């Protein structure tokens, strides 16, 4: 099987499972956006996914995305690129210029840097606040107890275009309680978007209201 056929078949299967999971919980298939995580995969693999109708992609690193996506975005103007990995403050200028959505807003310094850069570039990528639902010391994200105050800072003072919350549950714990926690924090703060769920747990995430699922391995295979 060619790479095009393999990726197309994987996308067909995943879309079917997303639609089935959404239907089981009273939602439509278009209520869930599939973010194809193309990190470490070559531009040819991304092109194969585009040929199969996929136009929303996620990358972990600004530098890798810069090498891969400008030509693809020029050729496909409706392509939407999400940053799903940590954003260093010294990469904010490049990130604002390239990405359409930044899912990893996780600290005040970064929020202020994004606000300044968006003003300079007159470009406003949508933002998700990353929440460290497991309060893991080695993981990025705002602790749950600080989310409400951080949302107020981002909205009221900095007027950032925050549209939702994102989380990556601890790999050794069942994800459902973490998805439920993120859903409650989003509801409390008036957000309609929830980025949660990856290749191994996206159907569970959809059951808890995910609007964006980030899937890489099940589409592109092992890296």
């Amino acid at each position: 099987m060619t790479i095009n056929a393999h990726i197309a078949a994987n996308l067909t299967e995943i879309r079917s499972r997303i639609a089935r999971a959404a239907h089981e919980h009273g939602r439509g298939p278009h209520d869930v956006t599939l973010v194809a995580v193309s990190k470490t995969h070559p531009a040819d693999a991304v092109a194969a996914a585009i040929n199969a109708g996929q136009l929303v992609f996620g990358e972990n690193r600004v530098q890798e995305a810069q090498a891969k996506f400008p030509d693809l975005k020029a050729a496909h103007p409706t392509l939407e690129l999400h940053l799903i990995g940590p954003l260093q403050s010294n990469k904010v200028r490049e990130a604002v210029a390239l990405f359409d959505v930044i899912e990893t807003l996780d600290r005040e310094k970064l929020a202020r840097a994004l606000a300044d850069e968006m003003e300079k570039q007159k470009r406003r990528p949508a933002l998700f606040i990353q929440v460290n639902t497991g309060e893991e010391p080695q993981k990025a994200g705002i602790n749950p107890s600080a989310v409400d105050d951080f949302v107020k800072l981002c909205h009221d003072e900095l007027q950032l275009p925050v549209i939702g919350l994102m989380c990556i549950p601890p790999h050794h714990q069942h994800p459902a309680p973490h998805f439920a926690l993120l859903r409650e924090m989003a509801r409390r703060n008036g957000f309609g978007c929830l980025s949660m769920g990856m290749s191994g747990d996206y159907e569970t995430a959809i059951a808890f209201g995910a609007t964006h699922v980030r899937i890489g391995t099940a589409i592109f295979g092992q890296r």
Side-chain angles (χ1 to χ4, degrees), residues 103-178:
E103 297 200 15
T104 49
L105 172 55
D106 65 351
R107 59 197 185 279
E108 181 176 345
K109 181 182 178 182
L110 179 58
R112 293 189 181 280
L114 284 166
D116 289 345
E117 193 57 44
M118 288 183 186
E119 178 62 27
K120 289 176 185 175
Q121 295 192 30
K122 305 301 180 187
R123 190 171 192 275
R124 292 173 64 79
L127 303 173
F128 286 76
I129 292 170
Q130 182 174 353
V131 182
N132 186 354
T133 55
E135 300 186 46
E136 298 173 277
Q138 79 282 8
K139 188 176 286 184
I142 297 286
N143 278 353
S145 62
V147 165
D148 293 358
D149 286 342
F150 189 64
V151 169
K152 289 177 183 176
L153 169 74
C154 292
H155 271 172
D156 298 347
E157 180 181 343
L158 302 177
Q159 299 182 326
L160 286 168
V162 179
I163 62 169
L165 304 179
M166 179 269 242
C167 76
I168 305 171
H171 73 274
H172 58 281
Q173 295 181 18
H174 196 283
H178 297 274

Side-chain angles (χ1 to χ4, degrees), residues 1-18 20 34 45 47-54 202 215-221:
M1 184 180 289
T2 66
I3 183 174
N4 282 45
H6 180 68
I7 289 174
N10 289 346
L11 282 166
T12 297
E13 170 67 15
I14 290 164
R15 289 172 184 147
S16 175
R17 291 175 65 175
I18 287 172
R20 187 162 57 246
L34 170 58
I50 292 171
N51 290 339
Q54 179 65 29
Y202 66 91
I215 300 175
T217 302
I219 296 171
F220 297 105

Side-chain angles (χ1 to χ4, degrees), residues 66 82 120 205 211 219:
Q66 283 180 305
H82 291 227
K120 289 176 185 175
T211 60
I219 296 171

